[in-house]
Amino acid sequence: MKFRIFILAFSVGFVFCFTAAVLFVFSFSGTKTEEPETEDFSEAVFLEQPKAVFLLVYESEKSFGPFTLIGFDAEKGRIPVFTFSGKAAIDYGGNYISAEDLFSSVSPGIFAGTVEKNFGIELSGYFIWNRESAEKIVSKAGTFDYVLPENIKYSEGNKTVNLSSGVQNMTGKKICDIFVSPEFSEGERCDAVSRITAAFINRRLRRLLPESSLYSVIFNYTETDVSAFDKEKYSKIIEVLSSSGKSLSGHITNDTEKDLSTGLLYFSDPTLARISEYFK
């Protein structure tokens, strides 16, 4: 009898201690903060120039803009994308003028230099592209899937655009149809341009390397100030970034405040801070 009581007491005690231990381990692991994985971009230290920021200017039949900054940052392993409207207020010689009007009245080089001064960043070059450029580039790079958050439906002249929300296989034509949609506010348009551009880069980054035939298409169907010497330098940055094999590109939020008297969109302080953080 005493032996049975001993065995029973021992079993109950063992179960109690085991349960307490399990609960302790569970509660500890549940509150522990997991350190995020860090990418190894040690190759960037060997680059003469580990960063590059490019300005993309979209030219439609009726206007210039949106304007997009793309940063290739091999040091931090990221490719930020920021888009601003053609109605954005740009300080030019002490006077504020819309980005679209300024681009229309000065050379692309002067415009790029003005953007540098306004944002306090250094541009590596600019690319001016249009619908033909988009169709040629995406056709060569390959279409890619993008989740359209809402329906895009409008008619313009003899053209009717009807894109349903959900997964869309993006072509150059669809990209441009979305970019110029009259249903968008300027903020929505900038957000869409940044998100789609980031999606394209994440899926087609390796095809931006010189050995790809896409490389020549980009330079044949856009106007740019990037020289042949620069192309080799910047391609090394892209090579380091593409070695990650992960999505590195993302859009940077653009908040603006509208001046009701002029219609100009002024960048908020948080937006300027974000530009400085990601592109400087």
Side-chain angles (χ1 to χ4, degrees):
M1 178 64 70
K2 291 183 179 181
F3 180 76
R4 290 181 179 179
I5 294 174
F6 172 78
I7 292 297
L8 179 60
F10 177 82
S11 300
V12 171
F14 177 82
V15 171
F16 175 81
C17 292
F18 178 80
T19 303
V22 169
L23 290 174
F24 173 78
V25 172
F26 179 81
S27 62
F28 177 78
S29 62
T31 58
K32 183 179 179 181
T33 301
E34 183 177 350
E35 292 295 327
E37 292 184 15
T38 57
E39 293 292 336
D40 180 15
F41 289 96
S42 55
E43 294 178 65
V45 301
F46 300 106
L47 298 180
E48 177 185 350
Q49 183 174 339
K51 297 181 181 180
V53 179
F54 298 100
L55 172 67
L56 272 58
V57 181
Y58 182 66
E59 178 183 4
S60 67
E61 297 176 357
K62 299 179 180 180
S63 61
F64 292 105
F67 303 85
T68 301
L69 296 176
I70 300 180
F72 293 89
D73 188 343
E75 280 187 335
K76 296 182 178 178
R78 63 189 184 188
I79 308 174
V81 179
F82 173 81
T83 301
F84 59 97
S85 167
K87 297 179 180 179
I90 301 294
D91 183 353
Y92 181 62
N95 296 313
Y96 281 95
I97 183 174
S98 73
E100 179 182 3
D101 288 343
L102 179 60
F103 187 85
S104 301
S105 59
V106 299
S107 69
I110 292 177
F111 179 83
T114 306
V115 170
E116 287 182 319
K117 291 179 181 178
N118 274 251
F119 293 152
I121 62 175
E122 181 180 351
L123 292 176
S124 304
Y126 64 79
F127 291 86
I128 304 173
W129 64 289
N130 53 28
R131 181 176 288 270
E132 181 185 17
S133 305
E135 292 179 357
K136 294 289 185 181
I137 291 170
V138 177
S139 175
K140 178 60 67 174
T143 58
F144 60 98
D145 288 341
Y146 174 77
V147 179
L148 200 62
E150 59 187 347
N151 297 332
I152 304 292
K153 297 182 180 181
Y154 66 90
S155 296
E156 198 170 59
N158 297 324
K159 180 179 68 175
T160 298
V161 176
N162 189 350
L163 300 174
S164 300
S165 61
V167 178
Q168 285 282 345
N169 187 245
M170 300 300 289
T171 63
K173 179 181 181 301
K174 287 183 181 179
I175 289 173
C176 295
D177 287 342
I178 293 172
F179 285 5
V180 300
S181 170
E183 302 300 314
F184 280 145
S185 67
E186 288 304 306
E188 292 170 336
R189 189 184 319 282
C190 291
D191 186 67
V193 171
S194 289
R195 289 182 182 277
I196 293 174
T197 302
F200 172 79
I201 293 173
N202 280 327
R203 290 161 177 78
R204 298 292 179 261
L205 182 60
R206 290 199 63 83
R207 299 188 186 182
L208 296 177
L209 293 171
E211 59 265 25
S212 169
S213 56
L214 174 64
Y215 206 66
S216 60
V217 171
I218 292 175
F219 284 89
N220 287 335
Y221 287 93
T222 62
E223 179 184 338
T224 180
D225 64 338
V226 179
S227 67
F229 173 77
D230 290 332
K231 282 191 271 187
E232 181 179 353
K233 179 171 56 178
Y234 300 139
S235 67
K236 292 179 180 178
I237 299 174
I238 296 175
E239 186 175 2
V240 171
L241 288 167
S242 62
S243 65
S244 164
K246 294 185 178 182
S247 297
L248 303 176
S249 187
H251 86 290
I252 306 302
T253 304
N254 177 11
D255 298 316
T256 56
E257 300 168 359
K258 186 174 183 178
D259 186 323
L260 297 179
S261 62
T262 64
L264 294 177
L265 301 174
Y266 287 83
F267 299 107
S268 66
D269 289 338
T271 294
L272 294 174
R274 285 191 288 268
I275 294 172
S276 178
E277 176 186 354
Y278 285 95
F279 295 99
K280 196 167 183 178

